[in-house]
Amino acid sequence: FQTIMTRLQPYPSMIIFTAGLALGVQIPTFVAQYGKRVDAHLIEASNMFAGYQALADVQQGGDVNALILKHETSEDLTFRAEALLIRNLRSNIQQYRTEIIALNQSLWKGISHIVLSGSPSLRQETIENYSVNLPLNFNALTYGFIVAILLCVIWEFLLMILGTSFGIAGRRRRV
């Protein structure tokens, strides 16, 4: 039994490394899919806003703020409600453009943007519609190895803590 346990000891580390590698290579793909989602929302919002911009061009000399003000001060409740829609569309377009600028920097800045200040709804949408693939490019492999090594270090650290806390002898390896 002792021999079997000794032979099985490296396998959890190998499994953790492999899982970490598989997870890590997904990071650049997730960033790319998030970026495509942002781009699609920007196109959709811009197409919807184009009608209001055309209306502002004809009626307000191109000033969308004047169009919004005219809608806000209208007696018609529909126009007043539409003012909020126009304002939100313009705000969304600006948010999507800011996201694209952040994502078009380095991969690391794109990751940190998504994690720290990305749109929660777009992040959730990307997670729900994520399509897993196994890219074998430099960025994917780099992040894959980083995650794999970090998980293995954490695993070994936990084993060391558990071994110290519960008096379990550390792994013995043959030299």
Side-chain angles (χ1 to χ4, degrees):
F1 182 74
Q2 184 70 21
T3 305
I4 292 172
M5 292 308 292
T6 303
R7 289 185 184 262
L8 292 178
Q9 275 183 344
Y11 289 107
S13 294
M14 284 190 259
I15 291 168
I16 289 171
F17 183 85
T18 303
L21 183 64
L23 178 68
V25 297
Q26 298 305 307
I27 293 171
T29 303
F30 184 85
V31 172
Q33 288 184 22
Y34 180 91
K36 288 177 184 173
R37 193 160 304 282
V38 170
D39 194 45
H41 281 279
L42 174 60
I43 291 168
E44 180 184 20
S46 295
N47 288 340
M48 290 172 60
F49 187 75
Y52 294 114
Q53 182 63 59
L55 193 59
D57 290 345
V58 171
Q59 294 184 357
Q60 304 297 325
D63 187 359
V64 174
N65 287 328
L67 180 68
I68 292 171
L69 183 62
K70 185 172 185 173
H71 277 69
E72 286 175 334
T73 58
S74 172
E75 294 293 322
D76 190 335
L77 292 176
T78 303
F79 283 120
R80 289 204 313 241
E82 195 172 43
L84 182 61
L85 293 175
I86 299 169
R87 194 179 300 279
N88 287 342
L89 263 176
R90 185 173 59 183
S91 174
N92 288 344
I93 289 170
Q94 184 55 44
Q95 176 192 349
Y96 297 141
R97 287 181 178 155
T98 302
E99 294 248 11
I100 287 173
I101 290 168
L103 294 170
N104 284 336
Q105 297 178 19
S106 69
L107 180 59
W108 175 247
K109 286 185 179 183
I111 293 166
S112 59
H113 168 76
I114 291 171
V115 171
L116 300 175
S117 58
S119 164
S121 61
L122 286 174
R123 195 171 36 237
Q124 185 61 36
E125 209 176 293
T126 305
I127 290 169
E128 289 171 2
N129 297 296
Y130 184 73
S131 77
V132 176
N133 61 47
L134 195 59
L136 295 178
N137 58 48
F138 181 75
N139 280 336
L141 291 175
T142 300
Y143 281 90
F145 280 113
I146 289 170
V147 170
I149 290 168
L150 283 174
L151 287 177
C152 282
V153 167
I154 291 168
W155 172 250
E156 292 294 330
F157 185 70
L158 286 174
L159 287 177
M160 184 180 70
I161 289 173
L162 290 173
T164 304
S165 298
F166 297 109
I168 302 169
R171 289 193 211 181
R172 297 181 194 251
R173 298 178 189 226
R174 293 184 184 170
V175 179

